[in-house]
Every structure is written in C-alpha cells, then in structure tokens.
Amino acid sequence: MAGMLDAVDQRTQLVGENRLELLMFRLGGMQLFAINVFKVQEVVQLPRLNLMPHRHPSVAGVTHFRGRTVPVIDLSESIGLRPIDKDKPCNLIVTEYNNTVQGFMVGEVDRIINMNWSEILPPPDGTGRTHYLTAITRVNDRLVEIIDVEKVLAEISPYDTRVSDEVIDKDLLNLADGLEVLVVDDSSVGLAQCRSTLDHLGIAVHTATDGKRGLDLLKKWAAEGEDVPNKLLMMITDAEMPEMDGYRLTREIREDPRLKDLYIVLHTSLSGSFNKAMVQKVGCDDFLSKFQPDKLATVIQDRIRSVMEAE
C-alpha cells in the first residue's frame, strides 16, 4: 500500500485541471467509501492501540507512529455504522487535516483512482450517514461515498469559531460596515465556521456549496451589471468540492475579464506547504488553513485596510 502513495508529487499536476485522486476503502461491509489522496500520509496495517481514559466513543485509542502519538478514530463508528471488528484484518489511514495528524481505522483498502471533479456529485438529500458525506461518485457502476472528514473531526473535537477580542480592530470594522464576502465550501462545517467568524466581524456573507455554483453566482452578478471585484471584499474558497474544485474556480475567475481582479483566499484543510505552492500556480491571493478564526479575522482586516488605503 505504501507504494500506492509514493507518487504524491506527480499528483500535484492534477491541481488546476479539476482532477483528484481518491483512496477507496471499505468499513466492514461491501460499500465503498473514499477520501482525497492529498490528505493521506500513509496506509499501514492497524498497529497495537493504547486506550485513553475519558476518550470520545469514536476514538479507538492512540498509537505511536513515526515518533509521534497519533489518535486513532474508528471511521465506521464515527459516521453511525457498526464499529470496525479489530479481530479481522484492519488498516490505518494516517492523514493530515488542518496541520493535525490523525489515523482512521478502516477495513479493507481497495485502491486509488484518478477522477475528474465533474464526476463527483453532491450527496442526495436524506438522513442517516448522508450527513457525513461531502459527495458521491460511481466507479465501475458502483456507488462510492466520499466522507466529510471535517464533520467527523468537528464532532470529536468541536472547533472554536470565536474571534479573540485582542484580534479585532473595532475602529476599522466600524468603517467597514456593509462589506460583502462570498464563501464557497461543500462542507456544512466549513461554511458554518466561516459564517460565524464573518458575522462576528459584521460582514455580510453569500455562500455557494461548490465551485460551479460559486462561479455561476459570480457570472450572474456580472451579467446584471455588478462590478464584482468591488462588490465583494473577497471570495473565500475551499479546495476540494464536487463538480468544480477551488483551484479550477480560481482559474476560471482569472480568465474572465469581468471577474479577474477579485481577491481570492484559498481556505482549506489540506496541507499548508502544498497549498502555498498551489496558490501561486492558480493565482490565488492568499492561503489560510481552516478552523483558525483569529487568522481568518486577521486576513479579513488586512484586506479591509488594503482596500481603504487604495481609495
């Protein structure tokens, strides 16, 4: 399995081409699940786990991995399914989200598949585990469910969306009343976190749940005669989204004369070092890891200062 992950550098070539690679696996039954390969550091057989007192029910324990202690989450139990049977062959998917490392205990690991984001669709409305999906797709006529890992992690360790008082420049925000921001994110957790922080700053929020819908909204405003780069203080976009990812969305905006000057912040749980390189490649103006309200508030206020100084 390690060999499947050796060519991550080559996968960066997919960025801006609206493509991704999914690591597919099972959680005990026949249903296939997946997560984006970019968030995967390694896949190994499940090592011995140490139990922790007062742990969350979905945390199976911790293990020592490459010199660090890594929490191990039973991914099946965390999305409302039967816990993984540790007496059967299991695997550990070691991932990095928002600069934190954790392992997800799964059953059989299937393979990695290269796909176009246009083949990745929003999950259908409904109940049950669809609440833990960001998207679905089909591979060889089989349904593959793409897990909303941000939601899983938020339920185990809730994110704090409050902005520290010392970060807020109240005089600046008083002068910035009525500013608007577009947030594009397929994760309900990501949208809620952004909205909470922006509401705290008194900024009006527009939202879209994938890159295509975000681009359609921007083009609609432009067609109605709006000066979009002046209407919006900025657009904050996730990287991974069904139908059109944040990288392709940025490229499409930069190629539209009506939109090309829009200030764009990439806001994602993917690896920071990776995204800093991709920001330059596709033409974003800034990059920010998710679930850091103080840093998000700082980026917003720095942009307000820049706009005011230019006037």
Side-chain angles (χ1 to χ4, degrees):
M1 179 56 61
M4 296 173 64
L5 305 174
D6 287 342
V8 170
D9 287 344
Q10 296 178 13
R11 296 188 176 108
T12 62
Q13 302 305 314
L14 302 178
V15 173
E17 305 302 324
N18 211 42
R19 299 193 68 82
L20 78 159
E21 288 192 320
L22 294 174
L23 173 62
M24 299 193 301
F25 52 88
R26 293 180 174 84
L27 294 176
M30 295 304 295
Q31 175 62 47
L32 284 169
F33 297 88
I35 60 175
N36 194 324
V37 166
F38 277 134
K39 292 177 177 175
V40 176
Q41 290 190 347
E42 198 160 350
V43 179
V44 296
Q45 287 189 333
L46 183 69
R48 184 175 67 86
L49 302 181
N50 298 310
L51 299 181
M52 297 187 305
H54 312 298
R55 68 187 187 278
H56 187 279
S58 296
V59 176
V62 297
T63 188
H64 296 285
F65 182 81
R66 300 197 182 282
R68 69 169 74 193
T69 300
V70 176
V72 175
I73 298 164
D74 184 329
L75 193 51
S76 183
E77 184 171 8
S78 70
I79 65 171
L81 300 180
R82 183 178 302 172
I84 296 288
D85 184 353
K86 292 188 284 293
D87 293 329
K88 295 182 179 179
C90 301
N91 288 282
L92 184 68
I93 302 176
V94 182
T95 65
E96 180 179 350
Y97 285 79
N98 301 314
N99 299 313
T100 65
V101 175
Q102 53 281 308
F104 291 106
M105 182 170 63
V106 302
E108 176 192 358
V109 173
D110 187 80
R111 57 191 158 124
I112 287 175
I113 189 165
N114 184 315
M115 301 194 74
N116 193 296
W117 273 110
S118 63
E119 302 172 90
I120 311 297
L121 303 174
D125 294 331
T127 58
R129 68 169 178 263
T130 55
H131 292 306
Y132 292 94
L133 305 180
T134 57
I136 59 172
T137 190
R138 287 193 173 273
V139 176
N140 297 330
D141 292 325
R142 296 200 60 184
L143 181 69
V144 179
E145 300 183 352
I146 302 172
I147 294 178
D148 186 349
V149 176
E150 290 175 6
K151 180 175 176 62
V152 170
L153 295 175
E155 290 188 352
I156 293 172
S157 180
Y159 298 113
D160 187 352
T161 61
R162 294 172 299 177
V163 180
S164 303
D165 289 339
E166 59 268 22
V167 172
I168 298 175
D169 184 339
K170 294 182 180 179
D171 292 336
L172 177 68
L173 293 182
N174 287 336
L175 295 173
D177 185 48
L179 293 176
E180 303 172 55
V181 166
L182 172 63
V183 181
V184 186
D185 198 320
D186 64 320
S187 169
S188 60
V189 175
L191 281 177
Q193 184 258 330
C194 262
R195 182 182 289 279
S196 177
T197 300
L198 293 168
D199 285 348
H200 192 74
L201 299 175
I203 292 175
V205 182
H206 305 276
T207 63
T209 53
D210 63 57
K212 184 177 183 302
R213 292 178 183 180
L215 184 62
D216 288 346
L217 179 58
L218 292 170
K219 289 187 172 182
K220 174 178 175 291
W221 284 333
E224 293 171 348
E226 295 267 17
D227 183 348
V228 176
N230 284 326
K231 172 183 175 65
L232 297 176
L233 179 68
M234 64 175 63
M235 180 184 75
I236 301 171
T237 180
D238 189 16
E240 303 173 273
M241 294 178 288
E243 298 199 67
M244 180 184 292
D245 66 15
Y247 306 112
R248 183 59 177 267
L249 170 61
T250 300
R251 176 174 287 183
E252 293 285 341
I253 289 170
R254 294 300 184 228
E255 292 177 354
D256 188 322
R258 304 168 301 174
L259 306 175
K260 64 182 179 66
D261 294 325
L262 180 62
Y263 194 90
I264 301 174
V265 175
L266 190 67
H267 187 234
T268 171
S269 56
L270 288 172
S271 160
S273 58
F274 166 78
N275 272 305
K276 287 175 183 176
M278 295 308 105
V279 161
Q280 295 181 339
K281 178 176 178 180
V282 300
C284 293
D285 295 287
D286 205 347
F287 160 76
L288 182 65
S289 293
K290 281 187 176 181
F291 310 118
Q292 300 184 70
D294 284 356
K295 290 187 177 181
L296 175 57
T298 299
V299 167
I300 291 285
Q301 292 177 129
D302 286 347
R303 176 60 181 159
I304 293 173
R305 290 188 187 95
S306 177
V307 170
M308 294 178 64
E309 289 171 359
E311 291 179 351

